[in-house]
């Protein structure tokens, strides 16, 4: 899950930078993404280790430490399911990008998977004029895209498993996974 908020700039010239900052908190991490009109920020957390209300308080405490908590601040809870569809291409429907699967927001695998999955689909259907798409084509596409997605997931998991942070149950658990 994630708590998200929009924060107006205090000093746009100083705060608008060409990168996203991230901070680890007790049960996940916070992103701070400067947009042209405002800062987008949020706390991605595991509800296995903390309640929504506790996570919101942890996020608010973080924003307060950074001098970014507003009295009238609105927060939105975003629930998401991580993983990939069992079958991406079924009959004449093909899942591409985020319609196929989602890992988590930090690495933003959506754009890369759109590109890679589309390339894989084009290779599957653009062999020659006589070619009809077969179940083998769909199965090969499903297998290849799931393999690529597993690589994305391992890349993201490596960020957590290589962490030396161990001050909460969350960080001990994600740090012990290989």
């Amino acid at each position: 899950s994630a708590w998200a908020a929009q924060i107006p700039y205090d000093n746009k010239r100083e705060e608008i930078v060409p990168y996203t900052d991230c901070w680890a908190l007790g049960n996940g991490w916070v992103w701070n993404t400067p947009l042209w009109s405002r800062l987008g920020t949020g706390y991605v957390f595991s509800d296995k280790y903390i309640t929504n209300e506790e996570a919101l308080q942890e996020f608010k405490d973080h924003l307060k430490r950074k001098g970014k908590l507003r009295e009238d601040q609105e927060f939105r809870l975003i629930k998401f399911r991580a993983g990939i569809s069992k079958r991406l291409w079924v009959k004449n429907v093909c899942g591409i990008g985020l319609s196929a699967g989602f890992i988590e927001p930090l690495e933003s695998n959506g754009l890369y998977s759109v590109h890679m999955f589309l390339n894989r689909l084009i290779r599957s259907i653009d062999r020659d004029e006589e070619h009809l798409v077969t179940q083998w084509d769909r199965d090969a596409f499903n297998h290849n895209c799931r393999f690529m997605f597993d690589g994305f997931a391992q890349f993201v998991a490596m960020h957590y498993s290589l962490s030396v942070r161990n001050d909460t149950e969350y960080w001990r658990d994600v740090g012990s996974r290989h």
Side-chain angles (χ1 to χ4, degrees):
S1 300
W3 281 106
Q6 299 177 6
I7 300 174
Y9 286 113
D10 292 324
N11 183 334
K12 187 175 183 177
R13 284 184 175 264
E14 291 180 13
E15 294 174 280
I16 194 164
V17 293
Y19 54 85
T20 295
D21 278 331
C22 297
W23 296 274
L25 296 187
N27 297 283
W29 57 272
V30 169
W31 78 83
N32 190 54
T33 303
L35 304 171
W36 189 251
S37 60
R38 62 175 167 79
L39 293 169
T41 187
Y43 179 30
V44 177
F45 63 96
S46 172
D47 57 13
K48 178 180 173 186
Y49 299 91
I50 192 171
T51 67
N52 293 339
E53 295 76 23
E54 291 168 329
L56 179 57
Q57 188 59 55
E58 192 174 14
F59 184 34
K60 285 179 177 180
D61 292 345
H62 168 79
L63 291 175
K64 187 175 183 178
R65 283 190 304 275
K66 296 288 184 184
K68 294 295 179 188
L69 185 62
R70 307 288 190 265
E71 285 188 32
D72 61 343
Q73 187 69 58
E74 293 183 22
F75 295 91
R76 189 178 71 175
L77 181 62
I78 302 168
K79 294 285 191 178
F80 59 86
R81 186 174 56 106
I84 190 167
S85 298
K86 187 174 183 175
R87 295 181 307 157
L88 305 175
W89 188 353
V90 179
K91 297 183 182 179
N92 67 340
V93 177
C94 190
I96 300 289
L98 294 177
S99 68
F102 180 75
I103 299 172
E104 55 93 78
L106 177 61
E107 295 299 337
S108 187
N109 65 294
L111 290 176
Y112 183 67
S113 64
V114 166
H115 173 78
M116 295 304 291
F117 291 10
L118 274 175
N119 277 337
R120 186 62 59 187
L121 178 63
I122 290 167
R123 285 186 206 163
S124 298
I125 62 177
D126 190 33
R127 287 191 276 198
D128 59 55
E129 290 181 23
E130 306 284 324
H131 179 71
L132 298 175
V133 174
T134 65
Q135 187 58 46
W136 186 91
D137 295 314
R138 287 187 282 279
D139 291 344
F141 173 87
N142 289 335
H143 173 79
N144 289 327
C145 290
R146 288 182 63 78
F147 182 79
M148 280 186 269
F149 189 88
D150 288 344
F152 303 154
Q154 289 175 16
F155 176 72
V156 170
M158 186 173 46
H159 289 71
Y160 293 91
S161 65
L162 294 177
S163 170
V164 295
R165 187 170 176 164
N166 63 4
D167 58 321
T168 64
E169 182 183 2
Y170 171 81
W171 286 106
R172 285 188 293 276
D173 283 354
V174 298
S176 67
R177 295 180 187 165
H178 296 76

